[in-house]
Amino acid sequence: MTPTEATDRLLEAAEELFYAHGVQAVGMDAVRARSGVSLKRLYQTFPAKNDLVEAYLRRRDERWRASLRKFVHARGDDPLAVFGWLRDWFSEPGFRGCAFVNSFGEFGEPAPGVAAAIREHKDLVRAYLRGLVSDQTTADQLFSLVEGATVLAAITGDPSEASTAREAAKVLLAAQG
C-alpha cells in the first residue's frame, strides 16, 4: 500500500466514523481497524489524533463545497439553488448536521489546527455566497440562513428546514432588488 493509498483509506474511515459517532467517541484504533492500515502507518501519517481530525475536516470541506458549487452551477448559479442542495443533503441517510459545528462543539476550543480548519470552512462558504449575490450584507444573511437551517435540520431531523430557509432567502433577494 502506497502512502497516498494509506492516507486516503485513513481519511475515508475517519470521515465515516467521526461523522457518524463524533470525534471524541472514536479512537485511533477504530480508524485503524476500519481503514485496514497498520498502526505504524497510521501514526506515521497522522502522529496525533488532532492531525487526523484536521485532515478529515479539510478533506470534507473540499468535497462538501465542490458538491455545492456543482449543484448550484448546474442551476445557473442561482443563490436559491443552495437551499435545494441543502434539502438533498438533509435528506441523506445518516445526516447529522454540520461536521464542522459538531467538531467545534465536541472540542469546546479545539486544537489550533482543528479550529483553523473549522473557521476556514465557514469563511469559504460565506465567500462562496458572496460570489453568488452582489450585496455582501445579503450574502451574509444567506449564510446565516444556511447555518440555521443546517442546525435545525440536524436537531429536528426535518429536511424541510431547507425550504423554510429558502422562503426567507427569497424575501431577502427580492428586497435586494
Side-chain angles (χ1 to χ4, degrees):
M1 175 181 319
T2 70
T4 300
E5 291 170 329
T7 299
D8 287 345
R9 289 171 70 172
L10 288 165
L11 289 173
E12 284 290 329
E15 183 164 3
E16 181 182 323
L17 293 169
F18 290 162
Y19 188 69
H21 305 289
V23 171
Q24 298 290 9
V26 176
M28 293 292 270
D29 195 53
V31 174
R32 184 210 52 78
R34 177 66 55 94
S35 69
V37 173
S38 72
L39 195 58
K40 180 179 178 182
R41 174 71 75 171
L42 167 61
Y43 283 107
Q44 286 173 339
T45 307
F46 300 105
K49 185 175 182 182
N50 284 344
D51 298 326
L52 178 59
V53 173
E54 180 182 348
Y56 143 70
L57 290 171
R58 290 190 184 284
R59 181 174 187 230
R60 186 168 178 95
D61 165 67
E62 290 173 13
R63 292 180 1 179
W64 192 93
R65 287 184 305 106
S67 176
L68 173 63
R69 279 191 311 269
K70 181 179 177 184
F71 185 95
V72 173
H73 185 69
R75 286 149 185 86
D77 291 321
D78 178 356
L80 292 176
V82 169
F83 299 94
W85 183 86
L86 288 174
R87 184 192 59 244
D88 290 352
W89 177 42
F90 299 167
S91 299
E92 290 177 2
F95 171 74
R96 292 189 16 110
C98 176
F100 303 88
V101 170
N102 295 347
S103 295
F104 191 82
E106 282 192 65
F107 279 98
E109 181 56 38
V114 173
I118 292 166
R119 288 184 183 106
E120 185 176 310
H121 168 75
K122 296 302 180 186
D123 290 344
L124 290 169
V125 172
R126 183 188 304 264
Y128 173 70
L129 293 171
R130 286 177 176 170
L132 292 176
V133 297
S134 58
D135 180 67
Q136 181 173 321
T137 299
T138 302
D140 291 347
Q141 291 168 335
L142 291 175
F143 177 72
S144 292
L145 289 170
V146 166
E147 291 297 306
T150 303
V151 170
L152 289 171
I155 291 169
T156 64
D158 185 357
S160 74
E161 295 295 347
S163 299
T164 303
R166 184 180 189 280
E167 291 305 309
K170 283 168 98 173
V171 172
L172 285 172
L173 292 169
Q176 179 190 9

